[in-house]
């Protein structure tokens, strides 16, 4: 759409028209585009055979269970042919995401969405973008789900015209049907008819109803092969449609100025010579409509417009961003209200990741003069937003920013981070999940300026150890800290000592899969007496814990969530301590902990009365019947994924 | 699927411009294939073996008792590997076969990863050992391992070996390369291990870096034997050589399979021969242990010849 600015006439329309077109460009609009393309390119030719392809590469993802350097549970496992299908079970050869169910939302560290009205009824929680080798017109997409199927909610395709099309969307979020539980599934939903070739597919997941981690083995894309000439023809055709929206509109009402060649001159000629005729045509078309409208309008005495400005503003504040842009098209007065800065104090573009662009950011910068919270997560894939534009935006509007979320954001480069550190010194919440780039963003050091942080989320983002320590030292008010899998260079024992010294008000701490945490670090953390949530999953490897866990549990009496997945050094005594000291515990993960006697588990169930979740997957000395029995007796959701033949959610 | 698309494209192009083009393209294509494969060697490889308690053990692909093996290939490398799980773990309630089998399976998967380097087979061992730590299920135990990679680009074989499994290369009736046996002391080989929590300090554990690495170039017809100690401890080297030199230059997998079978059977019967002075017994005597006869063990034979 950027080429619109070629045209002199559209410039006057300023941002609003551009944005309207952008925001209004829904799936309908795309299918319309496609149909126009089909008609005008006189039915472009595509090869008459179908191609089955498996994914060859992963372009982007929001979350993975495995570590980057590993081949277990990582995103790249989704490529290639199915390795495990039709077997069912927890296989490391597949792609798994980090969360499932509502347990993370129930935990103390859960976050509220910014501008919640933007979020669709079935929000996406995670995504993965995969490449295939050849461009095809998609006819079938099959997902091979080998464990806990049913998380897929949307399929998008990135077409050759550089736009995203939603190929399929689930109607409502529902539990997977009973007969589908405990069976691997080849899921191929009915796709919307599309005519544009693609080789990039994006899958979106919502696992809030899942009983346990979902695992995906492979993705198959079946479609008609398109030859290169057709692709070129579609692109040419598309470009000509993009050239000038006015000309396109004129063509639609069958008024065709001759626009071959130098259309600027032709258009000028048209405006001087033929405009009157054109207006006549328009009037004839709209006369009927108009008469209806006026009749209706006259019988109403008080209109929406007569309401006080504040009321309209309040009403508009319930609108999502897309509607807000649309409503500005209604009239001049609506436009004035809809561009009011107060409506843009919180902006969340995550649900509109497929529309977010430099242009849009530019328009928003004009309106959001009192911006407080900004969420640009998931935006900027395939360079739709330029780092320069983002930097400009932050420089203009960043000084009041309290909350900034840039999860899986592809815009960031070193100088962006630098700008952030300099401008946004009031930030209370900073979320940079999954922002690692290759080469890594070495210039994180300017973030050391931040002094007021209460929440810092660096999940899956590589960070320098030195900077980490400075940040901890500077931000004494820190309440929530997520350092899960933030690179192997960080020595977590040092970090833990720093936390114990400077951040004793910490409420939640996530050190999942971080390296080099030992019993000494654990002991240092016991100074944070406010802790309600800790995740030590996959750290504390090959160490005997000694008394460190006991100390932590004794001091942190408020603990609601304790995750100790694969902390193999845990002994009977540690489990006994958990039972004795954690009376407030709601979630406990002991996955992969071996050598614990059955009675110790029982003791936990008896003594932790508030317990809701207990993960005992891959724990030995315990049978599925006992787990089922305990689950019923104590009304606790017990997971045991190593018994794939037994339903994973033995629910009370 | 790809070959289908390719053929279709060729055929449709041919129909457009006369059938003669098709013939030409096809003959060109085959010529290309031939010339390409001429410079690029590959392995013709077969496997045979026996678990120690043949009658009671259940057959699982890629496993003979506690031994495991894999063979796989990519466009520019052929990879063979064997691993022998250390049996002592059975007393701790740990299945020793699981460790070796995981090691080999992971090696096989790693070969197909994008960043596989055919010149560094020791990385395969190191990464698959790291992969053990990424499993939800604790896989405990220890294992010896030997991995051998043929790099087709330069006809060179790269090897990595930990412990007493090994390989042997025969050309023109002579052993030209052979792996060294790595032992801490008699009958206790170097091993990769992951002990159960609490046993860490008194368990032998060697890092993958301590693997013996070797690289040598191979020629057409060379015979390569990769086997676990069940073979090397029971069959004397001279006997092995006699069998191996028979199949120099054999590219028929059926013939090769027969040789592998007879080797495995030879090792099997010698291991139960209580009179026979096996290499194991000779070694034992060198260490002042009075022993005769073979050493009953799991047996894995991976036999390969180099073909161009």
């Amino acid at each position: 759409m950027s080429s619109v600015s070629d045209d002199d006439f559209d410039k006057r329309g300023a941002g609003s028209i551009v944005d309207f077109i952008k925001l209004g460009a829904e799936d309908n609009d795309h299918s319309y585009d496609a149909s126009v393309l089909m008609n005008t390119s006189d039915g472009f030719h595509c090869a008459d055979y179908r191609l089955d392809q498996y994914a060859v590469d992963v372009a982007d993802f929001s979350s993975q269970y495995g570590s980057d350097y590993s081949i277990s549970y990582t995103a790249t496992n989704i490529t290639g042919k199915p390795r495990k299908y039709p077997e069912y079970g927890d296989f490391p050869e597949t792609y798994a995401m980090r969360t499932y169910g509502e347990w993370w939302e129930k935990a103390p560290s859960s976050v509220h969405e910014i501008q919640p009205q933007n979020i669709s009824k079935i929000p996406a929680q995670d995504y993965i973008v995969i490449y295939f080798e050849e461009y095809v017109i998609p006819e079938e997409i099959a997902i091979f789900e080998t464990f806990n199927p049913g998380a897929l909610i949307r399929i998008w395709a990135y077409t050759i015209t550089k736009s995203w099309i939603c190929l399929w969307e689930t109607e409502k979020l529902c539990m997977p049907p009973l007969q589908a539980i405990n069976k691997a599934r080849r899921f191929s939903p009915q796709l919307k008819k599309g005519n544009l070739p693609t080789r990039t597919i994006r899958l979106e997941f919502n696992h809030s109803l899942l009983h346990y981690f979902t695992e995906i083995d492979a993705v198959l894309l079946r479609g008609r092969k398109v030859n290169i000439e057709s692709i070129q023809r579609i692109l040419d055709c598309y470009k000509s449609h993009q050239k000038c929206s006015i000309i396109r509109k004129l063509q639609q009402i069958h008024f065709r100025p001759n626009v071959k060649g130098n259309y600027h001159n032709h258009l000028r000629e048209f405006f001087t010579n033929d405009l009157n005729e054109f207006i006549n045509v328009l009037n004839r078309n709209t006369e009927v409509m108009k008469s209806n409208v006026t009749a209706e309008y006259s019988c109403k005495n008080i209109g929406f417009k007569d309401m006080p400005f504040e009321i309209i503003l309040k009403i508009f504040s319930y609108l999502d961003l897309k509607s807000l842009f649309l409503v500005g098209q209604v009239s001049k007065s609506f436009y004035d209200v809809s561009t009011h800065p107060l409506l843009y104090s919180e902006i969340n573009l995550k649900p509109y990741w497929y529309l977010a662009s430099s242009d849009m950011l530019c328009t928003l910068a004009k309106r959001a003069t009192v911006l407080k919270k900004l969420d640009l997560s998931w935006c900027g894939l395939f360079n739709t937003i330029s780092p320069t534009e983002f930097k400009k935006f932050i420089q203009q509007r960043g000084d009041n920013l309290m909350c900034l979320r840039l999860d899986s954001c592809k815009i960031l480069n070193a100088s962006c981070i630098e700008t952030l550190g300099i401008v946004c010194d009031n930030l209370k919440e900073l979320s940079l999940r999954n922002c690692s780039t290759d080469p890594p963003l070495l210039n994180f050091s300017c973030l050391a300026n931040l002094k007021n942080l209460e929440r810092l989320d660096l999940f899956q983002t590589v960070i320098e150890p030195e900077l980490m320590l400075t940040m901890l030292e500077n931000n004494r008010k820190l309440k929530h800290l997520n350092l899960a899998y933030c690179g192997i260079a960080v020595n977590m024992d040092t970090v833990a000592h720093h936390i114990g010294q400077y951040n004793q008000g910490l409420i939640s701490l996530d050190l999942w899969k971080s390296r080099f945490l030992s019993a000494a670090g654990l002991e240092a953390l016991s100074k944070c007496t406010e802790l309600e949530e800790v995740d030590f999953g996959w750290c504390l490897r090959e160490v005997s814990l000694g008394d460190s866990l006991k100390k932590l549990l004794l001091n942190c009496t408020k603990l609601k969530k304790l995750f100790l997945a694969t902390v193999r050094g845990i002994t009977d005594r540690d489990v006994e301590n958990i039972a004795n000291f954690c009376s407030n515990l709601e979630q406990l993960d002991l996955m992969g902990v071996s050598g614990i006697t059955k009675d110790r588990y029982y003791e936990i169930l008896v003594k932790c009365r508030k317990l809701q979740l207990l993960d005992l997957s891959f724990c030995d000395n315990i049978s599925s019947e006992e787990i089922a029995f305990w689950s019923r007796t104590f009304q606790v959701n017990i997971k045991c994924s190593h018994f794939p033949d037994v339903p994973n959610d033995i629910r009370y | 699927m790809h070959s289908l698309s390719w053929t279709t494209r060729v055929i449709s192009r041919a129909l457009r411009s006369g059938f003669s083009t098709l013939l030409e393209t096809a003959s060109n294509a085959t010529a290309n294939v031939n010339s390409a494969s001429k410079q690029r060697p590959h392995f013709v490889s077969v496997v045979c073996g026996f678990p120690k308690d043949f009658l009671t053990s259940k057959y699982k692909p890629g496993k003979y008792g506690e031994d495991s093996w894999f063979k796989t290939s990519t466009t520019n490398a052929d990879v063979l590997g064997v691993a022998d799980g250390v049996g002592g773990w059975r007393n701790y309630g740990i299945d020793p076969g699981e460790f070796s089998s995981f090691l080999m399976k992971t090696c096989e998967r790693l070969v197909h990863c994008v960043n596989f380097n055919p010149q560094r087979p020791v990385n395969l061992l190191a990464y698959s050992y790291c992969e053990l730590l990424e499993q939800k299920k604790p896989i405990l135990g220890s294992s010896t391992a030997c991995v051998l990679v043929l790099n087709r680009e330069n006809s060179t074989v790269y090897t990595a070996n930990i412990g007493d499994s090994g390989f042997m290369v025969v050309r023109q009736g002579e052993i030209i390369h052979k792996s060294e046996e790595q032992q801490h002391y008699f009958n206790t080989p170097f091993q990769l291990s992951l002990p159960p929590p609490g046993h860490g300090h008194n368990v032998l554990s060697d890092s993958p870096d301590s693997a013996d690495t070797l690289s040598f170039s191979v020629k057409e017809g060379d015979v390569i034997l990769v086997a676990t100690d069940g073979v090397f401890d029971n069959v004397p080297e001279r006997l092995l050589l006699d069998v191996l030199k028979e199949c120099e230059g054999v590219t028929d997998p059926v013939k090769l399979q027969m040789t592998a079978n007879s080797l495995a059977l030879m090792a099997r019967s010698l291991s139960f021969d209580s009179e026979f002075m096996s290499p194991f017994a000779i070694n034992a005597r060198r260490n002042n242990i009075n022993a005769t006869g073979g050493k009953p063990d799991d047996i894995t034979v991976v036999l390969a010849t180099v073909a161009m």
Side-chain angles (χ1 to χ4, degrees):
Chain A
M1 297 276 175
S2 57
S3 50
V4 167
S5 55
D6 288 351
D7 200 290
D8 290 344
F9 308 101
D10 258 19
K11 267 192 181 161
R12 270 180 271 142
S16 68
I17 287 185
V18 178
D19 293 312
F20 157 66
I21 294 166
K22 284 206 160 287
L23 277 173
E26 249 191 311
D27 323 329
N28 303 341
D29 212 315
H30 283 298
S31 58
Y32 146 78
D33 266 355
S35 67
V36 168
L37 287 177
M38 275 301 277
N39 295 337
T40 45
S41 60
D42 42 43
F44 61 82
H45 173 77
C46 53
D48 52 352
Y49 61 91
R50 280 161 180 75
L51 199 60
D52 280 6
Q53 311 179 73
Y54 290 100
V56 289
D57 201 5
V58 176
D60 191 19
F61 60 87
S62 63
S63 164
Q64 68 176 2
Y65 195 87
S67 317
D68 272 354
Y69 52 81
S70 164
I71 54 167
S72 306
Y73 305 110
T74 49
T76 40
N77 284 341
I78 207 170
T79 56
K81 285 180 187 163
R83 293 179 186 87
K84 282 293 169 182
Y85 182 85
E87 281 175 78
Y88 180 85
D90 193 342
F91 303 120
E93 292 90 341
T94 55
Y95 165 55
M97 284 157 279
R98 200 201 153 178
T99 55
Y100 67 89
E102 286 177 319
W103 302 107
W104 274 260
E105 262 108 76
K106 281 183 184 172
S109 65
S110 69
V111 286
H112 296 289
E113 291 283 355
I114 300 170
Q115 222 186 3
Q117 65 266 35
N118 282 1
I119 293 156
S120 65
K121 239 191 294 172
I122 307 169
Q125 294 171 321
D126 280 309
Y127 70 84
I128 182 167
V129 182
I130 43 180
Y131 288 132
F132 294 83
E133 202 163 336
E134 306 260 6
Y135 281 105
V136 291
I137 294 168
E139 287 183 346
E140 186 190 358
I141 291 172
I143 320 290
F144 295 85
E145 301 168 287
T146 48
F147 198 46
N148 289 300
L152 190 73
I153 54 159
R154 244 172 250 126
I155 301 177
W156 296 82
Y158 189 67
T159 64
I160 49 165
T161 58
K162 296 203 164 37
S163 59
W164 286 97
I165 297 178
C166 184
L167 289 179
W168 171 79
E169 187 172 15
T170 186
E171 276 155 14
K172 70 179 205 302
L173 208 55
C174 52
M175 299 276 234
L178 265 175
Q179 66 270 19
I181 288 179
N182 301 326
K183 262 190 213 126
R185 176 168 86 150
R186 182 188 187 277
F187 182 57
S188 59
Q190 179 75 43
L191 300 183
K192 285 176 195 161
K193 282 262 180 315
N195 295 305
L196 291 175
T198 181
R199 64 182 199 116
T200 310
I201 297 291
R202 174 176 167 127
L203 309 175
E204 289 192 336
F205 305 97
N206 182 319
H207 23 69
S208 58
L209 290 182
L210 286 193
H211 310 311
Y212 208 56
F213 298 99
T214 185
E215 289 179 4
I216 296 162
D217 199 356
V219 179
L220 172 87
L221 171 63
R222 170 175 295 171
R224 274 175 299 155
K225 177 97 171 59
V226 187
N227 47 29
I228 294 159
E229 301 98 72
S230 325
I231 289 181
Q232 200 49 51
R233 210 173 328 149
I234 296 169
L235 280 178
D236 290 345
C237 183
Y238 178 76
K239 261 184 213 144
S240 69
H241 275 276
Q242 288 296 294
K243 259 179 196 153
C244 167
S245 58
I246 281 198
I247 292 179
R248 195 172 69 178
K249 276 176 194 156
L250 294 183
Q251 279 176 343
Q252 258 195 287
I253 55 168
H254 304 293
F255 191 92
R256 287 169 188 269
N258 187 5
V259 291
K260 275 179 206 150
N262 191 349
Y263 64 87
H264 278 271
N265 288 343
H266 284 297
L267 207 61
R268 234 163 252 138
E269 262 171 46
F270 156 72
F271 271 89
T272 47
N273 303 329
D274 303 336
L275 191 63
N276 285 337
E277 194 195 333
F278 171 58
I279 287 173
N280 283 339
V281 175
L282 268 189
N283 282 347
R284 242 178 286 137
N285 282 351
T286 50
E287 228 165 323
V288 190
M289 241 162 61
K290 237 186 202 166
S291 60
N292 288 346
V293 173
T294 42
E296 228 169 81
Y297 191 73
S298 60
C299 58
K300 280 179 188 161
N301 296 328
I302 301 170
F304 196 69
K305 271 200 229 161
D306 300 320
M307 270 197 262
F309 181 81
E310 292 78 11
I311 303 282
I312 300 183
L313 195 65
K314 182 71 187 164
I315 293 172
F316 279 14
S317 72
Y318 293 110
L319 292 178
D320 60 276
L321 205 58
K322 196 186 264 183
S323 313
L324 208 55
F325 272 88
L326 284 174
V327 86
Q329 312 293 314
V330 173
S331 68
K332 182 79 178 69
S333 58
F334 270 29
Y335 178 78
D336 290 342
V337 186
S338 74
T339 53
H340 194 280
L342 279 181
L343 295 173
Y344 299 89
S345 69
E346 297 186 1
I347 296 179
N348 182 3
L349 289 185
K350 185 174 162 187
Y352 304 124
W353 56 267
Y354 53 101
L355 298 170
S357 66
S358 296
D359 290 353
M360 191 172 188
L361 217 53
C362 187
T363 315
L364 284 172
K366 280 180 209 144
R367 301 183 181 187
T369 48
V370 288
L371 188 63
K372 284 222 165 64
K373 296 182 173 184
L374 177 66
D375 192 341
L376 282 180
S377 304
W378 301 8
C379 298
L381 187 65
F382 304 134
N383 303 323
T384 45
I385 299 179
S386 72
T388 333
E389 198 63 45
F390 174 72
K391 245 174 6 193
K392 221 164 79 192
F393 183 85
I394 292 295
Q395 272 158 359
Q396 285 177 330
R397 302 297 169 219
D399 42 353
N400 288 323
L401 216 53
M402 309 246 290
C403 164
L404 181 61
R405 294 182 193 159
L406 298 167
D407 305 342
S408 310
C409 196
K410 300 292 149 208
I411 314 165
L412 299 177
N413 58 21
S415 81
C416 285
I417 299 280
E418 197 178 330
T419 318
L420 273 185
I422 295 166
V423 179
C424 312
D425 47 357
N426 289 319
L427 274 184
K428 280 192 171 172
E429 179 185 339
L430 178 62
S431 181
L432 291 170
R433 294 167 83 97
N434 200 18
C435 285
S436 291
T437 49
D438 195 26
L441 300 169
L442 283 176
N443 212 347
F444 262 121
S445 58
C446 357
L447 286 182
N449 285 341
L450 307 179
K451 299 241 173 353
N452 300 312
L453 284 180
E454 289 179 9
R455 180 190 288 272
L456 178 62
D457 195 336
L458 295 170
F459 175 66
Q460 279 184 0
T461 297
V462 178
I463 188 163
E464 283 167 276
E466 290 305 310
L467 168 65
M468 192 63 249
L469 299 180
T470 326
M471 282 184 92
L472 290 175
E473 214 170 308
N474 287 343
N475 296 286
R476 311 251 168 140
K477 288 180 265 176
L478 212 56
K479 288 199 176 109
H480 300 280
L481 180 62
N482 188 337
L483 299 177
Y485 194 59
C486 63
I488 46 172
V490 185
N491 185 334
M492 275 303 155
D493 267 354
T494 334
V495 173
H497 276 112
H498 252 69
I499 292 173
Q501 196 175 348
Y502 299 108
N503 311 98
Q504 297 180 359
L506 215 58
I507 292 175
S508 79
L509 176 64
D510 192 342
L511 296 179
W512 187 73
K513 288 214 175 181
S514 55
R515 284 306 183 88
F516 308 117
L517 183 69
S518 72
L522 205 59
E523 210 167 316
L525 287 176
S526 64
K527 286 185 193 149
C528 307
T529 48
E530 298 298 310
L531 274 178
E532 291 180 20
E533 172 183 348
V534 281
D535 192 335
F536 296 129
W538 300 85
C539 22
L540 296 164
R541 294 176 193 203
E542 300 168 81
V543 238
S544 67
L545 299 177
D547 274 341
S548 54
L549 189 65
K550 185 181 175 186
K551 271 191 188 148
L552 184 86
L553 298 178
L554 263 177
N555 286 331
C556 310
T557 44
K558 295 181 181 171
L559 223 49
K560 286 182 182 163
K561 169 176 165 175
L562 177 63
F563 274 33
L564 296 167
T566 72
V567 179
R568 318 262 195 223
I570 285 186
T571 58
D572 269 0
R573 209 166 43 117
D574 291 315
V575 180
E576 207 176 324
N577 289 333
I578 294 174
N580 288 332
F581 303 135
C582 301
S583 51
N584 290 317
L585 209 59
E586 289 170 8
Q587 302 179 26
L588 176 63
D589 185 353
L590 292 174
M591 186 197 72
V593 174
S594 57
I596 309 287
T597 17
K598 199 164 50 184
D599 300 347
R600 296 285 89 80
Y601 298 133
Y602 188 76
E603 206 178 328
I604 285 182
L605 289 166
V606 173
K607 291 190 176 166
C608 303
R609 306 305 306 224
K610 293 181 186 166
L611 201 67
Q612 295 167 19
L613 171 75
L614 177 62
D615 193 336
L616 295 181
S617 303
F618 298 102
C619 294
D620 45 9
N621 302 334
I622 190 160
S623 73
S624 55
E625 290 81 19
E626 277 159 336
I627 285 178
F629 176 68
W630 287 354
S631 213
R632 276 193 304 274
T633 334
F634 293 98
Q635 312 241 313
V636 173
N637 207 325
I638 305 181
K639 310 289 181 192
C640 52
S641 71
H642 54 308
F643 299 125
D645 45 329
V646 178
N648 257 307
D649 61 320
I650 304 160
R651 294 204 169 183
Y652 33 88
Chain B
M1 207 61 225
H2 256 168
S3 62
L4 172 66
S5 78
W6 178 83
T7 0
T8 327
R9 210 179 306 144
V10 169
I11 289 173
S12 60
R13 198 187 304 147
L15 286 178
R16 232 177 288 142
S17 52
F19 199 65
S20 60
T21 346
L22 174 65
L23 288 175
E24 204 181 281
T25 358
S27 57
N28 273 350
T30 47
N32 280 339
V33 168
N34 283 340
S35 64
S37 68
K38 237 167 212 164
Q39 294 132 17
R40 295 165 68 88
H42 65 274
F43 279 157
V44 179
S45 55
V46 294
V47 186
C48 185
F50 294 99
K52 188 160 112 187
D53 29 9
F54 189 59
L55 291 175
T56 51
S57 79
K58 224 169 108 184
Y59 174 75
K60 276 190 197 132
K63 280 178 85 170
Y64 296 112
E66 287 142 27
D67 283 5
S68 296
W69 59 271
F70 78 98
K71 55 176 193 154
T72 185
S73 58
T74 65
T75 45
N76 48 18
D78 278 337
V79 189
L80 311 172
V82 294
D84 178 7
V86 173
W89 290 107
R90 193 168 284 120
N91 303 336
Y92 294 83
I94 294 167
D95 172 14
E98 199 175 10
F99 191 96
S100 58
S101 150
F102 179 85
L103 215 56
M104 289 296 101
K105 267 192 208 153
T106 314
C107 280
E108 185 173 355
R109 281 184 64 206
L110 283 166
V111 168
H112 295 283
C113 281
V114 267
N115 45 11
F116 165 62
N117 179 356
Q119 309 195 347
R120 302 274 303 155
V122 66
N123 284 0
L124 281 182
L125 290 179
Y127 290 150
S128 57
Y129 179 67
C130 285
E131 218 44 51
L132 283 163
L133 303 173
E134 301 289 329
Q135 301 309 304
K136 292 182 180 177
K137 185 181 182 201
I139 296 173
L140 305 171
S142 51
S143 171
T144 72
C146 178
V147 178
L148 194 143
V149 184
L150 168 69
N151 186 355
R152 292 197 196 151
E153 306 288 331
N154 54 6
S155 304
T156 306
V157 167
Y158 298 84
T159 67
N161 183 33
I162 287 191
D164 55 3
S165 298
F167 62 90
M168 188 182 270
V169 186
V170 173
R171 182 189 298 164
Q172 290 164 0
E174 276 178 56
I175 299 173
I176 54 164
H177 296 287
K178 199 174 134 268
S179 59
E180 291 287 321
E181 199 168 280
Q182 288 176 306
Q183 282 192 338
H184 289 285
Y185 38 86
F186 174 65
N187 207 16
T188 309
F190 275 49
Q191 49 198 273
L192 297 170
S193 61
L194 203 61
H199 294 85
H201 42 277
N202 49 19
V203 168
L204 282 173
S205 181
D206 301 290
S207 103
D209 298 332
S210 63
D212 255 347
T213 55
L214 202 64
S215 66
F216 48 86
S217 59
V218 287
K219 288 183 181 162
E220 185 174 359
D222 286 0
V223 183
I224 299 176
L225 167 76
V226 188
T228 53
D229 59 340
V231 176
F232 294 116
D233 277 350
N234 290 312
V235 189
E237 202 172 283
R238 187 181 35 81
L239 208 53
L240 278 177
L241 184 60
D242 286 345
V243 179
L244 291 180
K245 68 184 177 195
E246 290 305 306
C247 55
E248 270 181 54
V250 171
T251 50
D252 179 6
V254 180
K255 271 187 193 158
L256 208 59
Q257 183 69 63
M258 282 157 67
T259 317
N261 292 355
S262 59
L263 256 181
L265 198 60
M266 193 186 286
R268 169 88 183 166
S269 30
L270 287 177
S271 73
F272 286 102
D273 186 341
S274 55
E275 300 299 307
F276 174 66
M277 267 317 267
S278 66
F280 177 78
I282 296 169
N283 252 331
R285 293 198 170 187
R286 276 198 198 122
N287 287 280
N288 298 324
I289 299 166
N290 192 10
T292 43
K295 176 194 171 199
D297 199 353
D298 301 314
I299 291 159
T300 305
V301 174
V302 182
L303 191 61
T305 56
V306 180
M308 292 288 175

